[in-house]
Amino acid sequence: MKRIIFLSLIPLFLVNNVFANNQKEHIDIRAARSAANHSDPFCYSLRIDYYPNGQIKEQGCQGHYNAAGISVGNWYEYDLLGMPVRTNYYHPDEFGKDYKIITTYDKNGKVLTKKIYNYDDLYETEEEELNEIPQ
């Protein structure tokens, strides 16, 4: 049976920050709301999906960009033994500056391919391989 765990990263960050500093912190709720409404991508929950044997199948960050929930940052996919199969780096941005980098691995964890594509899911376009990271 698949188990999916959603962890809120903002409270984890805030709690970690408070304990790391060993002092009371003032948390500005207005600043947090402002970040949530801003168009820059940010992560708001970690998603971890498991195989029936308990190994992690996939993990990554569900994020927010331009008022839409979307994958952001690094996502990792593993085989049944826990070896990396693929890493996807998602960089949401304005149209034409959006991209993702997909890296595939062999059974020993060595890089097979590393390619740059437009972030097709973000703007519902056809996936196209790019020669370089858009500026």
Side-chain angles (χ1 to χ4, degrees):
M1 182 169 137
K2 287 185 181 179
R3 294 182 292 167
I4 299 176
I5 299 174
F6 291 98
L7 301 173
S8 175
L9 294 181
I10 293 174
L12 290 175
F13 169 76
L14 296 174
V15 169
N16 184 39
N17 194 23
V18 169
F19 288 116
N21 292 331
N22 282 332
Q23 60 186 357
K24 290 185 179 181
E25 294 284 333
H26 174 70
I27 300 168
D28 187 350
I29 298 301
R30 287 174 292 192
R33 284 187 189 141
S34 174
N37 293 327
H38 198 268
S39 64
D40 289 338
F42 68 94
C43 176
Y44 63 80
S45 69
L46 176 64
R47 177 175 176 230
I48 303 174
D49 191 10
Y50 294 87
Y51 285 109
N53 69 0
Q55 288 286 346
I56 294 175
K57 180 178 184 178
E58 178 182 49
Q59 65 182 358
C61 184
Q62 180 64 32
H64 185 272
Y65 175 74
N66 208 15
I70 196 92
S71 300
V72 298
N74 287 316
W75 280 74
Y76 305 94
E77 296 176 35
Y78 304 94
D79 65 15
L80 281 166
L81 301 175
M83 293 297 293
V85 174
R86 181 159 83 175
T87 302
N88 300 324
Y89 171 74
Y90 296 100
H91 181 86
D93 205 331
E94 65 185 65
F95 186 74
K97 293 184 179 180
D98 57 305
Y99 65 93
K100 61 185 178 183
I101 300 173
I102 298 176
T103 306
T104 59
Y105 303 91
D106 68 11
K107 63 181 179 178
N108 297 315
K110 302 249 188 230
V111 174
L112 286 175
T113 63
K114 188 171 187 173
K115 296 182 179 183
I116 304 167
Y117 297 91
N118 62 315
Y119 195 166
D120 56 319
D121 292 340
L122 181 60
Y123 294 104
E124 299 178 3
T125 59
E126 293 292 321
E127 182 179 78
E128 295 179 27
E129 187 174 350
L130 307 173
N131 294 324
E132 59 185 27
I133 293 174
Q135 298 298 320

